Amino acid sequence: MSASVSRIREPLVLGNKSYHQITEDLVGPTEKTPDRMWVIAFILSVSLFAYGMFALIWTFYFGIGSWNLNRTIGWGYDITNFVWWIGIGHAGTLISAILLLFRQRWRTGVNRAAEAMTIFAVMCAGLFPATHTGRPWFDFFMFPYPNTRGPLWVNFNSPLLWDLFAISTYFTVSLLFWYTGLVPDFASVRDRAKGIRKKIYAFVSMGWTGAAKHWQRHEYLSLVLAGIATPLVLSVHTIVSFDFATAVVPGWHTTIFPPYFVAGAIFSGFAMVQTLMVITRKAFRLQEYITVNHIESMNKVILVTGTMVGSAYLIELFIAWYSGYIYEQFAFYNRVLGPYFWAYIGMMGCNLLSPQVFWSKKIRRSVFWTFLMSIFVNIGMWFERFVIIATTLAKDFLPSSWSYYWPSWVEIGIYLGTIGLFFTLYLIFARVAPVVAIAEVKHILKQYGDQYLGPNAKEHHQEQSEKAH
Amino acid sequence: MKQFIFEAKQKQFLMGLMALGAVCLVLSYIFEPDSIAEAGFHQRFWSNLLHNGAFFTGMAFMTTFVIAAFVTAYSGWHVMFKRLWEAFSLFLIVGLVIFVLLGLGNVFHLHHLYHWAAEGITDPSSPNFDEVIAGKAGFLNNGWYIGGTLLIGGLWYFIARRMRQLSVQEDIDGDKVENFAYHRKIRFWAALFLPIAAFTGPALIWQWVMSVDAHWYSTLFAWYSMASWFLAACSLTILLLIYLKSLGYFEKVTVEHLHDLGKYMFAFSIFWTYCWFSQYMLIWYGNVGEETIYFKERLTHYPVLFYGNLFVNFALPFLILMRNTTKRRKGTLVFTAILVFIGHWWDYFYMIKPGTLITAQEAAHAGAHEAAQHGAAGFVAGFTIPGLLELGIMLGFVGLFIYVVFHHLSKVSLDPVNDPYYEESVHHEVQPYE
């Protein structure tokens, strides 16, 4: 870290915290019995999840026929939701790995919860392809193990298979990264715990004592994992985009898909982080750790990535015209003015236009607006995938088979189920682990605590003195 | 030393480079490859002008973009050498002159760089009529080529100049520094420039570069070529910083700053490759004739360009810059920066030259479609690979670019003492884990 921090920067830890106070504030929530709000939220989430499981079992029992797929749309709701969840699962590792490389200190306040969210989102995403391979009991074919099927192989030319490799690698690395960061914090919890809790946290903190050697290994491992995670953040959604772009379907086959999908993934991931953070900081009274400054930074990321995605939409639209390729032109005409025009409006409105309100500093720093916008973006990014998938497939090359698709209750049920699963896992996580990385916040306290920086700073860094020479 | 003095010796040397470039440019006007010589298009000359014009103007554009991005993202480490980048950004105006020249060339049919600018191309009654290009005429036309360039490029230049003015004023006008008034103003222009650049950059790239293959299109093309520009600018930054440091300037730019620039060069080389691969892979996999023709032409007739591009711009920087130590050693850093700079100049050669050659051949052998359809056969001087004249022209443009940069650099203090992040940049340290 640099020795000096400019006065123009805002503090990242408020409330004149001491190291002890940080431990108290952040470990505290894991030590209390859950309050009523938590219990209600948990029951709701589990119920949603149970409903999703019911819909899934219904699918297994009655078959895919219970979905509304039709002659042109063989991929509907399930793949839309898969891509949506995978996209959401991008923010965590971006914050932990790429923002680490870019030395963005505000990541320390939000990285833990974002990483947790990433892992849960990837789990929700994985559910869709796993249950939609047609014969899920043969899913193990796709994993690399010695072939016992003679000449029968999985299709290595298929991006769907690459997806499996990319996502399972991403999931593994994200999980390891998250857990590595948790070890010192679990040790902090352990040191204050009694009885069976102490035993459990002692087990999960792997005998962490905070010795210099432990820290050295920990930092080294974090660096290696960050190095591996960085290309993974890009590769996962790149390969998801290949699922579409390698096909010669007008509207899908376009070269901007890989980076544009990655930008969209970061966009939607940050929106989901905002949704969760706004609730979490309120529920656990963490406003001094997840400050308005943190929220503003994330809103800026949303504005940047939203505009990137928006410019990609317009590039696509323009090049479709420019290409002079009538099928490409039709695909986009159909997107904008066809039967699914409402989805296109939803996508453009929520993803390109609505984030533009974040040009205003006041709105960027408003918790209410942040929450509202994060919901908008979550919806908008869902629309984006629906637009790409349903609109494009509904009208294929053969006008006699054109169709219109809307999901059945079973498909909607599975989607709601994954939302239930996501929040169930997040609620459990928020109870058992510190939602803000204790060790990392302590690490930046002496530079970014409000007693060291900003208008209330007691001790200023040597500012102007050195300019003399 | 806070004040850069543009010495006569340097001026002479740079003038010498420019003279060399000018001579080579004239020679390339005279020595046209045999296969198109009789048509008298002087395609080699014009395509060299386009190639270098696009490459060096783009560097200035991407530098402006990076300044804007860094300011917006609260970056502090780079302010120690921000004067250099500000000077880069002012080259935009020279670039605009070149493109206006090229645009006038379109209007008066002085060259055949762009198939869409050919006479009667949008006129159904003309033998030259091309239905696909006629469909694009709303974008690809002489008026918008000059108009768009002036409008968009002028806007870029205006903002670049504004940001530099404020940045320089911040230095002089110390009183207002307390509340960061100047910095906040720079932030305003920087934030404004980002979306403008994001939307207008691709528009000019399509027009300037992608449209040399007038039928072909790729949505990723703009982002890919912007990455290329940034890498060129980044490598030239490293080279100039090391040179200026050796003269005693920029003494507060340490190995730590160079290390971070090296990281950018490393990371963006990978990003460039990512874009290259995404574009190639999707077109190869899709196997649609209208799209694959671009790579078919290049793979068949320009294998050296094609593979050389990947080797110099991906394999070498990736392997050399992987270790931390290489990014902190001046020797390796200079070596890699030269490679990357030439590599991306090569990349633009690869984007522009094959398309312009086909256009010239088609125009030269109008009616004789056989020749055109087979593309460039055999070795064509100045097109198949960069020849000696092309290298000379590149050196000339390097001389011009550095001359402009040094000229602007000598006007202001190198030390941005009133930048709010000044201290952070002075004490900048790269640690392996933070």
Side-chain angles (χ1 to χ4, degrees), chain A residues 1-10 100-105 107 157-159 162 218-220 222-223 234-235 237-238 241-242 245-248 253-260 262-263 293 296-297 300 304 307-312 314-316 318-325 328 352 359 361 364 440 443 448 462-469, chain B residues 2 72-77 116 132 135-140 177-178 180 183-184 187-188 191-192 194-195 198-199 202 206 210-211 213-223 252 256 260 263-264 268 271 274-275 277-283 285-288 290-291 415 417-434:
Chain A
M1 71 213 76
S2 329
S4 72
V5 178
S6 169
R7 279 184 308 115
I8 199 172
R9 292 190 195 275
E10 279 182 60
L100 178 95
L101 297 179
F102 280 117
R103 295 193 206 97
Q104 295 288 334
R105 294 304 187 306
R107 55 176 277 285
N157 288 338
S158 164
W162 312 339
H218 179 265
E219 299 205 340
Y220 196 75
S222 302
L223 183 65
L234 288 153
S235 75
H237 230 56
T238 297
S241 82
F242 284 177
T246 50
V248 278
H253 180 65
T254 178
T255 50
I256 208 170
F257 258 35
Y260 140 60
V262 172
N293 186 16
E296 190 188 2
S297 296
K300 282 182 184 165
V304 168
T307 311
M308 275 171 78
V309 170
S311 77
L314 298 180
I315 287 176
E316 267 191 331
F318 178 82
I319 295 284
W321 167 78
Y322 177 89
S323 69
Y325 182 41
E328 191 80 18
L352 173 61
W359 283 100
K361 193 178 176 91
R364 268 199 319 260
E440 300 209 37
H443 182 73
Y448 289 90
Q462 63 336 0
E463 263 295 322
Q464 308 292 330
S465 60
E466 272 206 44
K467 286 176 193 173
H469 40 268
Chain B
K2 288 181 177 175
T72 315
Y74 298 169
S75 158
W77 68 279
W116 52 262
V132 176
K136 305 181 186 202
F139 178 67
L140 298 181
V177 169
E178 257 322 287
F180 310 116
H183 190 74
R184 288 184 203 285
R187 240 188 225 169
F188 167 80
L192 186 70
L194 291 178
F199 287 102
W206 295 329
M210 194 168 86
S211 75
D213 291 275
H215 283 238
W216 187 76
Y217 56 91
S218 164
T219 40
L220 185 52
F221 189 82
W223 290 2
K252 285 184 189 136
E256 309 288 337
D260 267 358
K263 281 188 199 167
Y264 268 96
F268 274 82
F271 179 76
Y274 168 73
C275 290
F277 176 76
S278 297
Q279 185 169 280
Y280 182 80
M281 210 292 275
L282 289 176
I283 287 175
Y285 201 112
N287 201 17
V288 176
E290 283 86 347
E291 299 175 358
D415 226 17
V417 282
N418 286 333
D419 191 286
Y421 298 108
Y422 184 81
E423 285 297 311
E424 282 190 19
S425 190
V426 172
H427 298 289
H428 179 58
E429 241 179 273
V430 177
Q431 290 192 340
Y433 176 74
E434 53 169 6

Side-chain angles (χ1 to χ4, degrees), chain A residues 8 11 18 20 34 67 102 125 127 143 157 230 268 307 313 336 346 360 391 399 420 439 452:
Chain A
I8 199 172
S18 64
H20 176 66
W67 295 3
F102 280 117
L127 194 78
F143 288 93
N157 288 338
T230 303
S268 65
T307 311
Y313 294 157
V336 185
S360 150
T391 317
Y452 300 97

Side-chain angles (χ1 to χ4, degrees), chain B residues 295-360:
Chain B
F295 291 113
K296 166 102 168 76
E297 172 67 17
R298 281 159 178 77
L299 264 169
T300 317
H301 300 298
Y302 304 88
V304 181
L305 281 186
F306 185 88
Y307 295 106
N309 198 9
L310 280 180
F311 184 68
V312 181
N313 290 329
F314 174 62
L316 289 180
F318 180 73
L319 294 174
I320 297 174
L321 294 175
M322 181 122 54
R323 284 184 63 88
N324 267 349
T325 45
T326 50
K327 292 188 280 278
R328 296 176 77 86
R329 218 174 272 144
K330 275 181 191 159
T332 33
L333 208 49
V334 167
F335 174 70
T336 324
I338 292 174
L339 279 181
V340 169
F341 183 82
I342 295 177
H344 287 282
W345 180 82
W346 183 282
D347 189 23
Y348 269 83
F349 190 92
Y350 158 87
M351 290 182 220
I352 288 168
K353 287 281 181 160
T356 52
L357 182 59
I358 291 190
T359 308

Side-chain angles (χ1 to χ4, degrees), chain A residues 80-81 84 88 267-268 271-272 275 313 342-351 354 371-387 415 419:
Chain A
T80 305
N81 298 328
W84 188 71
I88 288 171
F267 179 57
S268 65
M272 190 56 102
T275 312
Y313 294 157
W342 47 271
Y344 193 80
I345 292 174
M347 169 182 106
M348 276 296 195
C350 293
N351 294 345
S354 76
F371 189 73
L372 187 75
M373 289 309 306
S374 75
I375 301 292
F376 264 38
V377 173
N378 284 326
I379 295 172
M381 285 309 287
W382 187 88
F383 270 127
E384 179 197 298
R385 278 61 177 254
F386 189 74
V387 163
Y415 176 51
I419 294 178

